[in-house]
Amino acid sequence: MANWAVVVTLLLSAVAVGEGCGGGAACSAVPSTLDGPFAPVTVRLDDEAFRGEAVDLPETDPRVVRRVRGFEPEQISVSLSATADSVWISWVTGDFQMGNDIQPLDPAKVASIVRYGRLRHHLGLKATGHSLVYSQIYPFKGMQNYTSGIIHHVRLTGLEPSIRYFYRCGDPSIPALSTIHEFRTMPVSGPKSYPKRIAVVGDLGLTYNTTSTVDHMKSNKPDLILLLGDVTYANLYLTNGTGSKCYSCSFPNTPIHESYQPRWDYWARFMEPTVSKIPIMVIEGNHEEEEQVGGKTFEAYSSRFAFPTKESGSNSTFYYSFKAGGIHFVMLGAYISYNKSGEQYKWLLRDLASVDRRVTPWLIATWHPPWYSTYKAHYREVECMRVEMEELLYSYGVDIVFNGHVHAYERSNRVYNYTLDPCASIHIMVGDGGNREKMAVNHADDPGHCPDPATTPDDMGGFCAFNFTSGPAEGKFCWDHQPDYSAYRESSFGHGILEVKNETHALWTWHRNQDSYKSTGDQLYIVRQPHKCPILPNSATKMNLF
């Protein structure tokens, strides 16, 4: 039986390679994980030559100004529910307010309605949803408060998979309706069914680099966008609109870390032409924390996006799951408790146990800060999360992990507990979307760049990063060379595209902004080997499912 599984894998490999690059000599140039583990590669680029204009778009840019009137919908976006028969439509009506005497709008005065259907001029179906307003309040002299427009979320259900739908959103009684938009549902869940292309990007922001990233990304015609946190970088601004590449450097004496919330509105207006058509799924990053009065955090993130929390059995916007064809995605939160005794870990146990790999062979996990990065920036910063969760993800055979946070690109070999393992996950860090903070260029293994262990406390209050007790870095905090788990690293803005071909093969391509649209910076076939890596959760895992 095992030999037959090997034959099937080899046959599928030939099919996947043919689909991936069209056959011919060029196909053999694309390596696969079966060729690994790979010797570590570092591509060093001059920091300034490839940064472009790392400054934010101004509020006067025509792509971010308000173009609607009254309560007409704007900032329209589509996000997925847990399964292919449902999506969320989100939008904003009414303008935000900034100042000391703000009066929040009343959500009850504007209805949340979506008319939709399979024909552009016959939108015979109707769905209603809910709406809300959030505020960012600072009880300090000289700071301006913010209240949002009315944010609407409507869930459409009973949809057919892999079908194009047209829709209008708004309140027809005012009347205040959007123009007609369209989206395509995900394929039905099954081992032969996959979205053609999934874009993966992190730390996007709203700079001129961002515009290049989004243009490149759209040219690849993705069916789905994964945004790995750090969305707008609104918290690099004071409430008077003064911004900086380094908040703590420029504003060291502010009584609270301020945030200029209009940057969220600007970002959503810029992204609307893309995400009103292509579903976007987001997970929180550290720049979404945005503390305000009363200790509230992550208000903008939790309010502005629709998440399939209830549909996936979660009770939090910080973690959830969804399916896209034969892929099960697990979106995890690094800025909420991930301890084994916490609600997120218990939810993750239940969610992983519910995955039927005969239906969704691919299991992909994402969260913002990486466990495996060799850059000096944020080096081993979330070691506590890795210690708590890695064994669980490994036992359920997670195929790929996507992260952002570090402003560079890095792809690992298959690694578990810092050790090469043919059954472990590939970790891919895509934190190079275009933010205005400095690009990460220094590596922890570069001479003189190993950080002090005392400077690496976990954001959740733990401290787990110590000197290694075994292996090539025994007795040290950093390697003295690029670790063998790091296959490829490069400092450049860009994005990635994942193309799942079948049950065992997926083509991963990373695109650099400075290249032509059809060029690739890094490319690899990721190959699953279920016959060699059976999923056998241990008894302790099974005992703690509920």
Side-chain angles (χ1 to χ4, degrees):
M1 190 68 181
N3 290 336
W4 171 246
V6 172
V7 171
V8 170
T9 297
L10 291 174
L11 289 173
L12 288 172
S13 176
V15 171
V17 171
E19 290 179 349
C21 53
C27 293
S28 61
V30 180
S32 84
T33 50
L34 298 179
D35 302 316
F38 301 97
V41 172
T42 297
V43 177
R44 298 183 184 273
L45 293 176
D46 177 72
D47 185 28
E48 296 303 320
F50 293 101
R51 275 188 62 79
E53 292 189 67
V55 294
D56 281 329
L57 298 185
E59 60 186 20
T60 56
D61 190 291
R63 291 167 290 185
V64 305
V65 297
R66 191 168 188 259
R67 298 181 294 274
V68 300
R69 297 175 297 177
F71 289 100
E72 292 175 347
E74 64 160 348
Q75 306 179 39
I76 301 167
S77 66
V78 183
S79 55
L80 300 181
S81 185
T83 53
D85 61 352
S86 178
V87 305
W88 287 91
I89 307 295
S90 303
W91 70 94
V92 175
T93 56
D95 205 0
F96 65 81
Q97 301 170 55
M98 285 286 296
N100 296 317
D101 186 23
I102 56 176
Q103 299 296 322
L105 298 172
D106 182 0
K109 291 187 176 181
V110 183
S112 306
I113 297 174
V114 176
R115 292 277 188 181
Y116 62 103
R118 293 172 63 170
L119 299 176
R120 178 182 291 274
H121 299 296
H122 182 65
L123 307 180
L125 301 173
K126 176 184 175 181
T128 60
H130 66 277
S131 59
L132 67 136
V133 168
Y134 82 92
S135 299
Q136 189 83 9
I137 305 298
Y138 302 103
F140 300 101
K141 185 177 179 179
M143 295 185 185
Q144 298 187 63
N145 296 323
Y146 170 94
T147 184
S148 71
I150 301 171
I151 301 169
H152 304 261
H153 299 300
V154 177
R155 186 183 174 204
L156 313 186
T157 59
L159 305 176
E160 295 292 326
S162 299
I163 292 294
R164 181 173 64 172
Y165 283 87
F166 298 93
Y167 71 96
R168 297 182 76 180
C169 57
D171 186 345
S173 69
I174 295 179
L177 289 169
S178 73
T179 57
I180 297 176
H181 297 271
E182 63 181 78
F183 66 87
R184 181 172 291 275
T185 52
M186 290 293 105
V188 67
S189 291
K192 307 291 186 183
S193 176
Y194 299 95
K196 289 183 179 179
R197 283 172 292 275
I198 300 170
V200 184
V201 64
D203 303 69
L204 195 56
L206 188 57
T207 70
Y208 291 99
N209 286 310
T210 305
T211 66
S212 177
T213 299
V214 173
D215 284 345
H216 274 72
M217 182 175 68
K218 287 193 296 185
S219 75
N220 283 314
K221 299 180 179 179
D223 302 295
L224 172 65
I225 300 170
L226 299 182
L227 178 49
L228 309 174
D230 284 2
V231 179
T232 70
Y233 291 82
N235 72 339
L236 292 184
Y237 283 78
L238 299 179
T239 61
N240 65 10
T242 301
S244 172
K245 295 178 183 177
C246 173
Y247 185 100
S248 60
C249 306
S250 301
F251 317 122
N253 299 317
T254 55
I256 190 172
H257 191 127
E258 300 175 41
S259 177
Y260 187 59
Q261 288 296 295
R263 298 300 305 182
W264 281 93
D265 296 279
Y266 304 158
W267 184 88
R269 290 168 186 162
F270 171 78
M271 292 296 292
E272 179 183 321
T274 303
V275 299
S276 61
K277 183 177 182 179
I278 305 170
I280 184 170
M281 303 302 286
V282 184
I283 199 65
E284 83 284 352
N286 56 298
H287 281 274
E288 279 73 73
E289 185 172 6
E290 298 181 321
E291 183 182 0
Q292 58 170 303
V293 64
K296 287 185 177 180
T297 55
F298 296 96
E299 284 291 293
Y301 163 80
S302 295
S303 300
R304 289 178 175 271
F305 298 106
F307 305 93
T309 51
K310 291 183 180 179
E311 301 102 277
S312 61
S314 170
N315 60 5
S316 171
T317 60
F318 288 78
Y319 53 90
Y320 59 92
S321 66
F322 66 95
K323 295 176 177 63
I327 312 169
H328 186 92
F329 287 94
V330 176
M331 314 289 276
L332 299 178
Y335 304 99
I336 190 171
S337 173
Y338 40 67
N339 293 332
K340 289 182 174 65
S341 60
E343 289 302 315
Q344 178 176 203
Y345 192 92
K346 294 176 182 177
W347 168 84
L348 180 59
L349 278 168
R350 294 192 297 269
D351 190 78
L352 292 175
S354 72
V355 178
D356 186 344
R357 302 299 280 269
R358 296 167 299 180
V359 177
T360 52
W362 288 87
L363 181 54
I364 296 175
T366 79
W367 57 91
H368 183 59
W371 292 348
Y372 292 99
S373 166
T374 61
Y375 284 82
K376 179 181 179 181
H378 307 299
Y379 180 67
R380 301 181 67 188
E381 185 178 271
V382 280
E383 190 74 354
C384 291
M385 183 183 182
R386 187 192 68 79
V387 169
E388 290 291 310
M389 288 188 159
E390 187 176 27
E391 182 181 2
L392 179 60
L393 297 182
Y394 177 79
S395 70
Y396 275 96
V398 169
D399 299 298
I400 309 171
V401 172
F402 289 118
N403 305 113
H405 197 43
V406 178
H407 302 156
Y409 172 75
E410 186 165 16
R411 169 175 55 82
S412 79
N413 286 305
R414 294 192 180 276
V415 58
Y416 170 65
N417 195 24
Y418 293 101
T419 303
L420 297 182
D421 186 319
C423 294
S425 306
I426 297 284
H427 290 252
I428 300 176
M429 185 182 75
V430 197
D432 56 347
N435 66 87
R436 67 178 295 168
E437 291 185 313
K438 187 175 178 63
M439 175 69 70
V441 295
N442 296 319
H443 308 110
D445 50 89
D446 292 336
H449 285 291
C450 182
D452 184 339
T455 65
T456 60
D458 191 283
D459 277 356
M460 293 304 297
F463 196 99
C464 302
F466 302 98
N467 287 352
F468 291 97
T469 57
S470 61
E474 181 178 357
K476 297 179 290 186
F477 192 64
C478 303
W479 277 256
D480 57 8
H481 59 278
Q482 185 174 357
D484 57 2
Y485 68 76
S486 174
Y488 184 96
R489 60 189 184 186
E490 182 173 347
S491 298
S492 178
F493 288 117
H495 76 284
I497 295 289
L498 181 71
E499 302 172 70
V500 178
K501 304 296 183 180
N502 51 47
E503 301 98 310
T504 58
H505 286 70
L507 178 63
W508 166 254
T509 307
W510 174 63
H511 297 267
R512 293 179 296 221
N513 282 4
Q514 68 266 24
D515 294 335
S516 65
Y517 280 24
K518 297 301 180 182
S519 299
T520 60
D522 180 40
Q523 194 168 53
L524 178 79
Y525 276 103
I526 299 173
V527 182
R528 299 181 62 247
Q529 293 184 283
H531 60 286
K532 287 188 175 181
C533 303
I535 300 165
L536 297 172
N538 59 42
S539 57
T541 299
K542 292 180 180 178
M543 291 171 61
N544 287 287
L545 287 177
F546 301 98

